[in-house]
Amino acid sequence: MTETTPPQINQKIQIQTWWFTAVLIAVNVGLFGWQILSGVNITDPSPVDAIAWGADFTPLTFLGQPERLFSSMFFHFGLIHLMLNMWALYIFGSVAEQLFGRVYYIGLYFLAGLMGSVLSSYLTIRDGYALLQHFDPKLLPHISAGASGAVMGLGAALTAISLFPRLPQLRFWLDKKSLLMVMGINLIFGFTVSGINNAAHIGGMIMGALLASTWYLSQKSRSKSLFQMISLILGSVLLGAFYFYCTQLSTGLTPLWSEILRQNQLGF
């Protein structure tokens, strides 16, 4: 194995062992196809279409539509965006689903995706207060969507496991250097290329790494299932507390959000 090869396992992956990942990919691709058939541009969806299909737009999200934090995980800004995320989901998800077990994997995936959405919203809320002081187009809220927060959470989870001493019962061999390189490149792109929601990536990575670490600890516990359930509950509490903090923080921006929605005629 070279330093540049992707994460390896010691036997061929069978689809029945990662069927939930396959379902996630099928749902994302199916929804994208539905959107295109309904008239959404295949390479550059309009802001109105993106919002209509559930993209995250902080003024709407924090003025009564919190479900956008979830629905935005299933909308993509064009075919290339979709293909990149689905390829990464296949690479990380097919391994992570077997490694962590399906139930824990599902919890990790969605908690990472939601944490990415909330962290992105937090930064938009913070920019909103700066916008009240002086107008700057860069501070205006942006529309965000995609599965990348959840996918980066899976990548961070695998990376975290690769950093720990290998558990003897695991049949996976994760290439630590390759994973660190891939995650690092993604972060660098996020900081240097415009149009990438790096906050969503970082939020997903934080949650993914935390849940992977607690999963690793659970492998040394006599009550693995209970330990893992508690880990998912604590992850949900952390997410809920952060979301509640954001809702409280955003209350002072209600007039600003309402004015932004009025001017852009985005009263969904």
Side-chain angles (χ1 to χ4, degrees):
M1 180 182 301
T2 66
E3 293 183 0
T4 57
T5 54
Q8 299 292 319
I9 61 174
N10 58 17
Q11 68 180 36
K12 184 179 179 180
I13 298 177
Q14 302 297 322
I15 192 168
Q16 63 267 23
T17 62
W18 52 276
W19 64 262
F20 191 80
T21 299
V23 168
L24 284 173
I25 294 172
V27 169
N28 277 280
V29 172
L31 284 173
F32 185 79
W34 185 10
Q35 292 155 13
I36 300 310
L37 290 175
S38 70
V40 177
N41 190 292
I42 192 171
T43 58
D44 187 22
S46 69
V48 172
D49 283 337
I51 289 176
W53 281 93
D56 182 22
F57 188 58
T58 302
L60 282 174
T61 301
F62 284 86
L63 286 179
Q65 298 181 25
E67 66 275 6
R68 290 183 177 276
L69 296 170
F70 178 82
S71 62
S72 61
M73 296 166 61
F74 295 93
F75 181 85
H76 289 85
F77 291 103
L79 183 60
I80 294 178
H81 187 207
L82 174 74
M83 291 175 63
L84 290 174
N85 275 344
M86 293 305 99
W87 174 245
L89 177 54
Y90 163 70
I91 294 296
F92 292 141
S94 58
V95 175
E97 185 170 348
Q98 296 179 82
L99 177 65
F100 297 115
R102 188 158 294 119
V103 173
Y104 200 82
Y105 167 78
I106 292 172
L108 190 155
Y109 179 87
F110 286 111
L111 286 174
L114 289 169
M115 181 59 81
S117 296
V118 176
L119 181 59
S120 176
S121 294
Y122 166 74
L123 295 181
T124 301
I125 292 168
R126 188 190 64 180
D127 288 344
Y129 281 99
L131 191 61
L132 290 176
Q133 303 301 318
H134 67 281
F135 179 78
D136 184 344
K138 295 181 179 179
L139 299 177
L140 289 170
H142 300 285
I143 300 170
S144 61
S148 56
V151 171
M152 290 290 281
L154 296 180
L158 293 177
T159 304
I161 296 300
S162 75
L163 298 176
F164 291 117
R166 187 172 184 270
L167 295 169
Q169 68 269 30
L170 296 185
R171 62 186 180 85
F172 294 89
W173 184 263
L174 301 173
D175 189 328
K176 174 175 62 178
K177 292 182 179 180
S178 293
L179 283 164
L180 287 170
M181 181 177 67
V182 169
M183 300 306 290
I185 289 173
N186 274 279
L187 283 177
I188 291 172
F189 266 104
F191 283 117
T192 58
V193 178
S194 62
I196 296 178
N197 188 354
N198 216 28
H201 292 180
I202 293 171
M205 290 173 64
I206 291 172
M207 180 62 79
L210 287 175
L211 290 178
S213 299
T214 55
W215 177 88
Y216 183 88
L217 294 176
S218 76
Q219 300 305 297
K220 301 182 178 182
S221 170
R222 293 182 179 180
S223 304
K224 294 181 182 180
S225 297
L226 178 61
F227 197 110
Q228 291 173 19
M229 186 60 63
I230 292 173
S231 296
L232 291 176
I233 291 173
L234 290 177
S236 300
V237 171
L238 175 63
L239 172 67
F242 188 30
Y243 171 74
F244 178 75
Y245 171 73
C246 288
T247 59
Q248 297 299 109
L249 188 65
S250 67
T251 54
L253 295 173
T254 299
L256 174 64
W257 293 157
S258 299
E259 180 62 19
I260 289 173
L261 294 175
R262 187 189 66 80
Q263 290 185 5
N264 291 276
Q265 299 180 344
L266 296 174
F268 288 86

